[in-house]
Amino acid sequence: MKLFFLRIVTFLAIPLGILCIWFPYIYFVNNKASANYKVKENVHLIIVGDSHAQHSIDDRLFPNSVNLSQTAESLVFTFYKIKTVLNNNPSIKKVYLGLGYHSFSSYFDDIVNNHPAEISSRYFLVLPYKEQKQILVKSGTDFPRVLMNVFSTGTKNLFRQKEAYYFMGGYVGATSEKPVTNESMDKRLNEVFYLDRKPRNFSIENVYYLEQIIELCKNEHVELILLNTPVHPYFKSKIPLKFVEKYNSIISEKHLKVIDFNNLVLTNSCFLPDGDHVSREGSIITTNRLNETENDSPIRKD
């Protein structure tokens, strides 16, 4: 019996020993990669945000820019991403932040809190200790999966080009064989803006970190411009008024610059089935409009 337990201990000791050595190593390397993250020399503009900005702006068609947006990225992660990029790249003069009506819905809080293994783990190794602690505390029974994904993404980053680091993101030209329909848009609307058939609360965390992003850009003397990316006209007409009013009030109160793409004339083929994101075809039109705005510089202030 003693020999049996000795074999088990020996069997477990080897992988645990490797883990104890490897994890600090990937922690150090990922932190270093983030702390020294450099964009190309000709890049003066960055696009950040969640999947809306990720699908909408093709940086290959927008000169001197790089799209660092990522699916389901809440503003806490965007804040630290901007901070990292600005610290290492004095060439950055302008930050385009994807921010829509959905950004102020508690849907964002639910996504981050309920899926830490899929979302928070992407950023874990490059966040400050206080944020890492919060992620682990909130993970609850998902704690083992969070650690596994942190270990996995951290290891994969060692073998990826810096443009493909999991914590940075990038443009995605999306397509779908399914058409956009009222039913598919209603499903998305209910998911994002409603809970138990009632309009959701506002995301306290996203409101807070928007203020932090505003302050950060101000202190770094970098221009901040919001991008309200296109949504289908039907989708927009069904957004609860409280979120539209919240969006407009924050823009007005903070004197923010915003480019609203919802006045673009886009056909159904320019949208994914949910009506909340543009397709590859829609991103070309949206990016071209942004190019026109950047060249003419008549950015309106709401």
Side-chain angles (χ1 to χ4, degrees):
M1 184 62 74
K2 288 182 179 180
L3 181 60
F4 174 73
F5 281 113
L6 182 61
R7 287 176 177 174
I8 292 178
V9 171
T10 303
F11 176 78
L12 294 175
I14 294 174
L16 285 175
I18 294 174
L19 183 63
C20 288
I21 296 172
W22 187 248
F23 192 83
Y25 174 70
I26 64 169
Y27 189 99
F28 170 77
V29 173
N30 275 263
N31 260 274
K32 186 176 181 181
S34 172
N36 298 297
Y37 187 84
K38 294 282 187 181
V39 298
K40 294 179 179 178
E41 290 184 4
N42 67 323
V43 171
H44 309 302
L45 322 165
I46 62 171
I47 302 106
V48 292
D50 59 21
S51 57
H52 293 75
Q54 184 179 41
H55 290 318
S56 295
I57 308 300
D58 185 346
D59 49 9
R60 296 170 300 181
L61 306 177
F62 190 37
N64 307 117
S65 75
V66 60
N67 192 335
L68 301 175
S69 308
Q70 181 131 251
T71 299
E73 181 170 295
S74 68
L75 293 185
V76 58
F77 302 130
T78 304
F79 167 74
Y80 287 109
K81 180 182 290 185
I82 296 173
K83 188 173 184 179
T84 293
V85 175
L86 294 186
N87 281 343
N88 299 310
N89 299 274
S91 63
I92 302 300
K93 304 302 179 186
K94 192 176 295 186
V95 172
Y96 285 102
L97 171 64
L99 194 82
Y101 307 117
H102 70 287
S103 303
F104 298 115
S105 170
S106 61
Y107 161 79
F108 252 109
D109 301 340
D110 289 350
I111 281 223
V112 174
N113 293 334
N114 295 336
H115 302 279
E118 290 77 18
I119 300 173
S120 302
S121 61
R122 298 187 304 221
Y123 309 92
F124 186 88
L125 293 171
V126 298
L127 292 173
Y129 173 72
K130 67 172 184 175
E131 298 297 342
Q132 293 175 336
K133 183 179 178 181
Q134 271 199 323
I135 290 171
L136 295 178
V137 169
K138 291 180 179 179
S139 63
T141 56
D142 222 13
F143 183 86
R145 277 208 318 134
V146 171
L147 286 185
M148 285 179 60
N149 281 11
V150 167
F151 184 83
S152 174
T153 56
T155 299
K156 289 176 183 177
N157 278 339
L158 304 184
F159 306 97
R160 296 168 73 93
Q161 297 293 322
K162 69 177 183 178
E163 292 81 6
Y165 287 153
Y166 282 98
F167 51 82
M168 278 302 173
Y171 167 73
V172 173
T175 58
S176 176
E177 295 180 358
K178 296 181 179 179
V180 58
T181 64
N182 289 0
E183 290 75 18
S184 60
M185 287 188 279
D186 285 338
K187 181 180 179 181
R188 176 65 175 173
L189 283 159
N190 287 330
E191 180 183 24
V192 175
F193 294 106
Y194 291 90
L195 184 64
D196 298 328
R197 298 185 178 181
K198 296 180 181 179
R200 284 178 173 270
N201 295 323
F202 296 124
S203 170
I204 296 174
E205 187 169 84
N206 266 5
V207 172
Y208 172 79
Y209 275 100
L210 173 59
E211 293 176 352
Q212 300 306 301
I213 290 171
I214 295 169
E215 192 65 22
L216 172 64
C217 290
K218 181 180 178 180
N219 292 338
E220 296 293 331
H221 306 290
V222 171
E223 186 175 13
L224 175 66
I225 299 173
L226 306 185
L227 301 178
N228 193 358
T229 56
V231 296
H232 193 280
Y234 174 86
F235 187 97
K236 185 180 180 183
S237 71
K238 297 294 183 178
I239 297 174
L241 184 60
K242 64 180 284 186
F243 293 102
V244 177
E245 291 177 341
K246 181 70 170 179
Y247 187 90
N248 291 335
S249 67
I250 288 179
I251 289 172
S252 177
E253 178 187 336
K254 302 295 182 182
H255 306 290
L256 299 173
K257 295 180 179 179
V258 57
I259 302 174
D260 191 338
F261 292 98
N262 284 295
N263 60 347
L264 280 177
V265 179
L266 300 176
T267 62
N268 281 357
S269 62
C270 292
F271 292 97
L272 297 181
D274 64 8
D276 195 21
H277 300 83
V278 294
S279 63
R280 165 66 181 153
E281 182 180 342
S283 74
I284 295 174
I285 298 173
T286 305
T287 305
N288 286 339
R289 173 60 63 88
L290 183 58
N291 261 316
E292 294 171 5
T293 305
E294 176 67 21
N295 292 333
D296 296 340
S297 295
I299 302 169
R300 67 182 180 83
K301 187 179 289 187
D302 288 352

